[in-house]
Structure formats: structure tokens, C-alpha cells
Amino acid sequence: MPLAIVAGRSPIVLVAPHAGRRDPARRPWGRHPLKMNDLHTGELTRELARRLDAGAVINDDTDRNDVDLNRVTAAADGAPHFLD
């Protein structure tokens, strides 16, 4: 899972864990109801980071139904590099 890392000079770090997209051709999607990804949060986080000269970590690719990066245990199991 590639993450976008934005460098900044202020002490602020923004995180967009749910900016990924679900592959519409991928099926089956499972038995559980799908969680929505946060559309446009990657772009919004980039713009805020630029305006604030802040750092940012942005998940542009991974769908939160595969790994929910907002859950520490899920990130530890499925994407430990995100926590690093």
C-alpha cells in the first residue's frame, strides 16, 4: 500500500486514512455491509497541508474495507508500515 507523504515545516501533521477507492470491478465484496471511503479527503488534506505548511500522511489507494487505517489493530495487522 503506497502512502503519500507530504513534508511541512509547521508542527502539524494531517492524516487522511480513508481517501482510497474501492475497485468497482472487484467482486465479491463480502458478506458485510461496505463502509464508505471518504471521497476527496486526499485532495483536501493536500490543500490544507499546503496552506498550513504542514506534514501529511495520505492513503490514496487502499480501500478501508480491506484495511481500516483508522483502527490501530487493523492497521497493525494489515498495514504496519502506516503506523511507522
Side-chain angles (χ1 to χ4, degrees):
M1 161 199 326
L3 296 171
I5 307 296
V6 177
R9 292 183 298 198
S10 76
I12 300 169
V13 177
L14 305 170
V15 181
H18 298 150
R21 299 285 191 271
R22 185 75 176 163
D23 178 356
R26 185 174 156 205
R27 300 199 188 264
W29 287 358
R31 298 175 305 211
H32 304 290
L34 291 176
K35 299 174 194 152
M36 293 287 293
N37 287 299
D38 298 335
L39 302 178
H40 309 293
T41 56
E43 296 91 351
L44 179 60
T45 301
R46 278 185 183 77
E47 180 63 19
L48 284 171
R50 185 187 67 74
R51 290 183 184 208
L52 299 171
D53 198 10
V57 178
I58 303 166
N59 165 36
D60 280 320
D61 297 315
T62 302
D63 176 35
R64 76 186 284 194
N65 292 284
D66 295 329
V67 177
D68 189 342
L69 298 179
N70 206 33
R71 308 278 180 247
V72 174
T73 55
D77 291 343
H81 63 283
F82 178 75
L83 299 175
D84 291 340

